[in-house]
């Protein structure tokens, strides 16, 4: 018997759940009781009964049963609103009734019923005014004005960007086709916000939203009263990056979605990068889009056998069985608290455009913890990818993170206890790299409840040196100097300064009002946890270089990933910003790496500053043009807070590049963890460019094939690869620039890969094919 919490356990193949007959959090007395987000007395007329759920059910059926038995009530906003409507109707006393009506209106707003919410707020305003002698809390009028402004802003979004999404929608500073043609919502929001600012001129939240409202009407910046105007320069334009157009509406990828994960990978083996998208909601269907190789994508979810694979705030790609086909792990339960004890899904790629859920037969069905982050790596060097799953643990609901060893036969063994791991932290991001170059991959955990964790891989714990032996890990975060933050989210290892050693970037997070983000943009004091960049000192320690690299910013970063935007050989990165609050309308942020010295914000220059909630990010060459494009998964957590995903196409540049697909033989076949150095000659001398094979950041998946920008190189001198299982290096010569290559572990030469290129709207792709005699490698 594996205990999951006080009231849910697996007994053999059965989950026993003590469930309540109450509805959507007004009173939940059974498993994972979640305190409602409303201050309303609970009904006493509930009863508790036992439910038995067979976890051996097919995954789609199992997910439905678990969601019904134990829904994440804070995100079932329509249903909660309906329950609250009943409470409002029967409550007679003034103050409890007003409290219920306020919560009802707020729930309507979160459910997307914005106009109905406005009616309720007007009713509340009148009732409180009529009874002002009995009750009118300090600041209540401004509270109602902000709620109404939010509802009006949402109406503007729903009537314009959602109803007729286009390539300019929601990109700050909003212009062109992004300007609202239906002005009702934003025009009324401006009235509410201006009223607040007239007697509270220092209200940064109202000021920030006021400027956005004026943008949507095409009246920014000139139309904004000077005393409340925000200078366009603050939104980020420190380098003349060309515009990257959002072509998702043109190619079939503008999915209107909630928060979720995304992976860009050649799942079909045709030589093109396909896209997979998940949604955190229990009824949010996983979507699979095939790249047709002609500038369009086709939704192949049903044909791929994925109907019913629902939920999942994040996903991570892998090739767990070394068959050369990328598989996917879907992670569920993140942010759901005690309702988040859900299974993962391991999707096996069948190689014919279909997937099979192998969670049960792999043994990963044992994982039933709230999670949204995991990392694949070969911790014991046996050539098979293991998986570390970071769980969201808190003192009232202990959910230790887990390490599963790959048995090499399609199954996994939980070795968490065997390896002495007892990580009971609220983990939001997990990444891996061999940070000290001792030949063993280490793990970094980004946590939302205190200092982060750096698990140094010490190797076998005893005399037994076999892959199945107990392994030892030590938390080296304090010693390494990477534990200075108290609340963080997305993160990644990358070599920002091209010295051959992995550095760490971590985004700050927290329950933050948009006023604090506005303060940071305006150079005012802010209490937000800032991002950090830790430079590797080559001796097992890191130095915090955030301020000198111009990255000490309040990002509220959820999704994040990296790639080389301009093929200059320096890795840039993109942050998907936000939090669930409907007023958190802040730009996604792009940072260009300036020769490894510091980063320049190019958010508005490249037109990356989407205002809706940002989650998974993926960098990849979607049309085989030699330029990396960026996919951004967007959308909030609440029922009504959806947004359309974006694909930003690279306009092209004159720099050189090379694309390498590595294949392990003794090492894992997808070569995760292989460290690669491309040594080039340039007009200024020799130069080295470093990358490590992986999917990039902790929230969003880049393809495993590695894209290297080479700048003004004149030729490639050599490619050197350090293979993770053997510890051997392999040096390949005669690799030409501006081509795709396949390198197999142990071979003496690279093989050219024949790929087809195709144009994208506004892209820099050539027409036709890149000529290369050779093979097509998935």
């Amino acid at each position: 018997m594996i205990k999951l919490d006080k009231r849910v356990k697996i007994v053999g193949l059965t989950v026993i759940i003590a469930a309540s007959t109450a509805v959507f959090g007004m009173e939940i007395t059974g498993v994972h009781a979640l305190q409602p987000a409303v201050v309303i007395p609970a009904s006493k007329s509930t009863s508790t009964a036992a439910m038995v759920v067979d976890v051996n059910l097919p995954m789609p059926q199992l997910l439905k049963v678990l969601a019904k038995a134990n829904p994440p009530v804070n995100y079932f906003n329509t249903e909660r609103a309906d329950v609250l409507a009943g409470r409002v109707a029967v409550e007679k006393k003034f103050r409890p009734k007003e409290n219920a009506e306020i919560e009802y209106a707020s729930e309507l707003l979160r459910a997307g019923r914005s106009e109905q919410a406005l009616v309720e707020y007007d009713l509340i305003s009148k009732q409180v005014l009529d009874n002002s002698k009995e009750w009118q809390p300090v600041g209540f009028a401004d509270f109602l004005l902000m709620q109404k402004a939010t509802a009006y802003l949402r109406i503007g979004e729903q009537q314009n960007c959602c109803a007729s999404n286009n390539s300019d929608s929601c990109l700050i500073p909003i212009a062109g086709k992004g300007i609202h043609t239906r002005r009702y919502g934003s025009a009324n929001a401006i009235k509410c916000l201006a009223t607040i600012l007239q007697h509270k001129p220092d209200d940064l939240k109202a000021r920030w939203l006021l400027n956005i409202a004026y943008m949507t009407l095409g009246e920014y910046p000139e139309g904004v009263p000077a005393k409340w105007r925000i200078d366009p320069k603050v939104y980020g334009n420190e380098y003349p990056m060309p515009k990257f157009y959002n072509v998702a509406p043109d190619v079939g990828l503008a999915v209107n979605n909630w928060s979720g994960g995304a992976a860009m990978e050649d799942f079909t083996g045709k030589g093109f990068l396909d896209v997979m998208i998940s949604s955190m909601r229990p009824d949010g269907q996983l979507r699979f889009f095939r790249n047709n190789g002609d500038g369009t994508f086709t939704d192949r979810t049903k044909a791929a056998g994925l109907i019913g694979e629902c939920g999942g705030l994040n996903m991570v790609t892998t090739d767990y069985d070394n068959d050369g086909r990328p598989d996917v792990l879907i992670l569920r339960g993140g942010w759901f608290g005690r309702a988040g004890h859900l299974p993962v899904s391991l999707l096996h790629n069948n190689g014919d455009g279909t997937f099979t859920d192998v969670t049960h037969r792999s043994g990963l069905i044992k994982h039933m913890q709230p999670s949204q982050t995991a990392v694949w790596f070969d911790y014991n060097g046996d050539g098979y990818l293991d998986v570390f799953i970071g769980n969201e643990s808190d003192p009232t609901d202990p959910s230790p993170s887990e390490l599963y060893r790959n048995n090499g036969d399609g199954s996994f063994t939980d070795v968490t206890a065997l390896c002495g791991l007892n990580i009971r932290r609220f983990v939001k991001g997990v990444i891996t790299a061999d940070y000290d170059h001792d030949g063993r991959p280490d793990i970094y955990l980004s946590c939302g409840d205190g200092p982060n964790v750096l698990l140094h891989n010490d190797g076998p714990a005893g005399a037994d040196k076999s892959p199945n032996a107990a392994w030892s890990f030590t938390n080296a975060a304090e010693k390494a100097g990477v534990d200075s933050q108290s609340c963080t989210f997305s993160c990644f290892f990358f070599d920002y300064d091209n010295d051959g050693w992995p550095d760490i970037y971590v985004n700050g997070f927290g329950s933050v009002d948009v006023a604090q983000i506005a303060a940071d943009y305006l150079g005012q004091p802010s209490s937000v946890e800032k991002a950090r960049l830790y430079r590797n000192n080559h001796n097992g320690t890191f130095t915090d270089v955030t301020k000198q690299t111009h990255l000490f910013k309040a990002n509220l970063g959820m999704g994040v990933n990296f790639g080389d935007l301009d093929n200059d050989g320096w890795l840039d990165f993109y942050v998907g910003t936000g939090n669930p609050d409907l007023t958190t309308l802040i730009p996604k942020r792009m940072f260009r790496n300036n020769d490894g010295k510091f980063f320049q914000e190019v958010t508005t220059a490249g037109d990356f500053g989407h205002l809706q909630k940002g989650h998974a990010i993926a960098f990849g060459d979607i049309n085989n043009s030699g330029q990396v494009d960026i996919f951004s998964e967007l959308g909030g957590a609440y029922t009504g807070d959806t947004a359309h995903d974006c694909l930003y196409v690279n306009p092209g540049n004159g720099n050189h590049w090379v694309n390498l697909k590595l294949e392990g033989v003794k090492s894992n076949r997808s070569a995760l963890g292989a460290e690669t150095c491309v040594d080039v000659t340039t007009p200024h001398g020799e130069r080295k460019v470093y990358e490590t094979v992986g999917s990039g950041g902790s929230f969003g998946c880049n393809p495993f094939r590695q894209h290297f920008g080479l700048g003004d190189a004149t030729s490639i001198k050599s490619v050197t690869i350090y293979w993770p299982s053997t510890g051997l290096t392999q040096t390949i010569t005669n690799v030409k620039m501006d081509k795709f290559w396949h390198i197999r572990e142990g071979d003496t030469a690279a093989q050219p890969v024949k790929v087809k290129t195709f144009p994208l709207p506004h892209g820099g792709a050539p027409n036709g094919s890149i000529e290369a005699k050779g093979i097509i490698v998935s």
Side-chain angles (χ1 to χ4, degrees):
M1 182 176 74
I2 301 174
K3 188 173 182 182
L4 298 183
D5 74 359
K6 294 180 180 178
R7 285 163 293 222
V8 178
K9 39 188 154 178
I10 296 179
V11 185
L13 290 175
T14 302
V15 177
I16 300 176
I17 300 180
S20 170
T21 59
V23 182
F24 299 108
M26 299 304 104
E27 177 177 321
I28 300 180
T29 58
V31 60
H32 309 321
L34 180 62
Q35 292 299 317
V38 294
V39 189
I40 297 173
S43 168
K44 303 298 182 182
S45 58
T46 57
S47 61
T48 300
M51 288 187 62
V52 178
V53 179
D54 182 1
V55 300
N56 203 37
L57 293 170
M59 185 60 71
Q61 188 177 350
L62 176 61
L63 292 173
K64 285 184 178 180
V65 171
L66 291 173
K68 183 178 180 180
N70 190 25
V73 295
N74 281 350
Y75 303 111
F76 276 59
N77 309 109
T78 300
E79 295 85 351
R80 285 170 63 90
D82 291 342
V83 172
L84 282 163
R87 294 290 173 83
V88 170
V90 299
E91 184 60 64
K92 303 300 182 183
K93 294 182 180 180
F94 172 71
R95 291 181 64 177
K97 187 177 185 69
E98 292 310 308
N99 176 53
E101 287 185 331
I102 291 168
E103 294 301 333
Y104 174 48
S106 299
E107 208 63 59
L108 287 171
L109 186 54
R110 289 189 281 265
R113 291 151 68 174
S114 308
E115 295 191 36
Q116 191 177 350
L118 274 174
V119 172
E120 292 300 319
Y121 285 128
D122 286 335
L123 178 63
I124 293 165
S125 180
K126 181 179 184 303
Q127 289 175 343
V128 171
L129 183 63
D130 291 345
N131 294 273
S132 58
K133 291 182 180 180
E134 181 178 345
W135 182 57
Q136 186 168 4
V138 175
F140 186 73
D142 286 339
F143 164 78
L144 277 183
L145 280 170
M146 181 56 71
Q147 292 298 100
K148 291 176 67 175
T150 305
Y152 281 122
L153 287 170
R154 291 298 301 154
I155 288 171
E157 169 72 12
Q158 291 165 327
Q159 291 182 343
N160 294 275
C161 305
C162 292
S164 54
N165 180 255
N166 62 71
S167 60
D168 293 335
S169 294
C170 299
L171 292 171
I172 198 169
I174 299 168
K177 294 182 295 182
I179 294 174
H180 292 186
T181 57
R182 301 183 66 179
R183 298 168 58 89
Y184 166 79
S186 292
N188 281 284
I190 287 172
K191 294 177 183 178
C192 295
L193 296 165
T195 302
I196 296 172
L197 287 165
Q198 283 167 4
H199 61 277
K200 291 177 62 179
D202 296 329
D203 190 318
L204 287 181
K205 181 175 184 177
R207 184 181 173 192
W208 179 269
L209 295 175
L210 180 80
N211 279 261
I212 290 174
Y214 272 106
M215 286 182 201
T216 65
L217 299 181
E219 299 174 6
Y220 173 87
E222 292 82 5
V224 185
K227 58 186 175 182
W228 300 328
R229 185 183 304 146
I230 294 177
D231 192 319
K233 293 179 181 178
V234 308
Y235 298 120
N237 187 5
E238 299 172 344
Y239 181 84
M241 179 71 66
K243 179 181 173 69
F244 282 57
Y245 284 87
N246 171 25
V247 300
D250 304 310
V251 302
L253 286 177
V255 179
N256 191 23
N257 205 14
W258 295 280
S259 53
M264 190 187 291
E265 187 56 86
D266 181 8
F267 290 110
T268 59
K270 304 296 184 182
F272 306 118
L273 296 179
D274 310 300
V275 175
M276 190 175 286
I277 307 167
S278 68
S279 166
M280 71 178 286
R281 294 185 63 82
D283 56 350
Q285 171 65 51
L286 181 72
R287 306 281 295 276
F288 173 57
F289 292 87
R290 183 187 64 198
N291 188 332
N292 298 321
D294 61 1
T296 65
F297 288 78
T298 298
D299 188 338
R300 298 284 294 173
T301 304
K302 182 177 180 180
L306 295 173
I307 295 298
E309 290 286 348
C310 295
L313 184 56
N314 199 5
M315 64 177 73
V316 190
T317 47
T318 182
D319 180 5
Y320 74 93
D321 56 353
N322 285 339
D323 65 357
R325 300 188 293 263
D327 313 301
V328 182
L329 180 72
I330 307 296
L331 297 147
R332 300 186 176 97
W335 296 122
F336 286 176
R338 293 188 173 191
H341 288 260
L342 299 169
V344 297
S345 277
L346 180 60
L347 302 178
H348 177 260
N349 188 335
N350 300 320
D352 58 0
T354 68
F355 296 82
T356 299
D357 191 315
V358 295
T359 312
H360 292 87
R361 70 178 183 225
S362 72
L364 290 178
I365 192 63
K366 295 177 182 178
H367 167 86
M368 293 281 281
Q369 309 282 10
S371 177
Q372 60 109 88
T373 186
V375 68
W376 292 88
F377 69 135
D378 183 5
Y379 79 88
N380 57 6
D382 66 352
Y384 289 93
L385 291 172
D386 315 295
V387 61
F388 185 96
I389 303 177
N391 297 326
E392 295 179 354
S393 183
D394 69 59
T396 66
D397 184 28
S399 302
S401 295
E402 299 151 297
L403 175 62
Y404 289 89
R405 184 184 65 221
N406 192 326
N407 299 322
D409 60 0
S411 70
F412 293 81
T413 298
D414 185 346
V415 294
T416 310
L418 178 68
C419 294
L421 293 169
N422 187 22
I423 309 298
R424 299 188 177 214
R425 300 292 305 281
F426 197 83
V427 180
K428 296 305 298 177
V430 182
I431 51 177
T432 182
D434 181 6
Y435 76 90
D436 57 352
H437 283 182
D438 66 354
R440 296 184 296 268
D442 312 297
I443 313 169
Y444 187 75
L445 281 67
S446 172
C447 303
D449 61 349
N452 293 336
V453 176
L454 177 61
L455 294 176
H456 180 265
N457 187 339
D458 302 328
D464 185 356
K465 307 296 183 182
S466 70
N468 294 341
W471 225 253
S472 178
F473 293 85
T474 302
N475 183 9
E478 183 178 3
K479 177 182 177 181
V482 293
D483 64 340
S484 61
Q485 295 156 290
S486 61
C487 184
T488 58
F489 199 156
S490 54
C491 53
F492 53 75
F493 277 106
F494 76 146
D495 188 358
Y496 86 92
D497 54 358
N498 267 326
D499 64 356
W501 293 75
D503 312 297
I504 302 174
Y505 176 82
V506 192
N507 275 310
F509 200 67
S511 298
V512 177
D513 189 274
V514 72
Q516 294 297 316
I517 303 298
D520 191 66
Y521 268 95
L522 295 169
Q524 300 179 18
S526 172
S527 61
V528 182
E529 181 75 78
K530 305 294 196 302
R532 295 291 194 282
L533 176 64
Y534 300 103
R535 185 185 64 213
N536 196 317
N537 296 325
H538 308 182
N539 61 2
T541 69
F542 294 78
T543 296
D544 186 338
V545 295
T546 315
K547 291 183 178 178
Q548 51 263 53
T549 54
H550 306 178
L551 292 176
F552 193 63
K553 301 177 186 295
N555 282 337
L556 274 190
M558 297 188 291
V560 68
N561 224 320
F562 59 85
D564 190 346
L565 291 175
D566 50 4
N567 281 341
D568 64 352
W570 302 97
L571 292 172
D572 317 299
F573 68 94
Y574 189 41
V575 181
T577 60
N579 68 16
D581 192 319
L582 293 175
T583 63
T584 310
L585 298 173
I586 56 177
K588 314 295 134 313
R589 305 181 78 164
M590 183 71 80
F591 297 95
R592 177 185 180 269
N593 189 336
N594 185 36
D595 297 342
K597 300 172 185 175
F598 59 88
F599 288 80
Q600 299 157 316
E601 185 159 2
V602 293
T603 297
T604 56
D607 218 4
F608 300 108
H610 206 289
L611 288 169
Q612 301 305 317
K613 311 300 165 48
H615 291 86
I617 306 292
F619 282 72
D621 185 356
I622 208 78
N623 58 339
N624 295 334
S625 66
Q627 323 286 336
V628 294
D629 312 295
I630 304 99
F631 182 81
S632 175
E633 200 281 338
L634 299 166
Y638 298 130
T639 304
D641 193 13
T642 61
H644 290 81
D645 297 339
C646 295
L647 175 64
Y648 299 99
V649 62
N650 197 314
N653 55 74
N655 288 329
H656 293 289
W657 55 274
V658 70
N659 195 293
L660 304 178
K661 173 69 175 180
L662 306 186
E663 180 186 340
V665 177
K666 293 184 178 179
S667 300
N668 68 88
R669 185 162 176 177
S670 53
L672 264 70
E675 301 170 6
T676 307
C677 173
V678 178
D679 192 346
V680 298
T681 56
T682 78
H684 314 288
E686 188 175 317
R687 179 188 176 193
K688 299 179 186 297
V689 182
Y690 294 90
E691 289 188 25
T692 299
V693 178
S695 58
S698 64
F699 204 159
C701 295
N702 293 347
F704 291 150
R705 69 187 196 187
Q706 300 294 287
H707 180 94
F708 292 79
L710 303 178
D712 62 353
T714 56
S715 65
I716 296 175
K717 183 178 179 181
S718 64
V719 174
T720 302
I721 303 157
Y722 171 84
W723 291 96
S725 286
T726 64
L728 299 177
T729 57
Q730 174 182 4
T731 300
I732 302 290
T733 56
N734 298 319
V735 177
K736 295 182 179 180
M737 298 188 298
D738 305 329
K739 294 184 180 296
F740 288 73
W741 298 87
H742 173 231
I743 300 177
R744 190 170 181 268
E745 183 178 9
D747 286 0
T748 58
Q751 300 299 317
V753 178
K754 185 177 181 180
V755 297
K756 176 187 175 183
T757 69
F758 53 89
L760 287 170
H762 308 289
N767 293 317
S769 299
I770 294 177
E771 295 299 328
K773 295 180 180 179
I775 56 177
I776 296 178
V777 177
S778 63

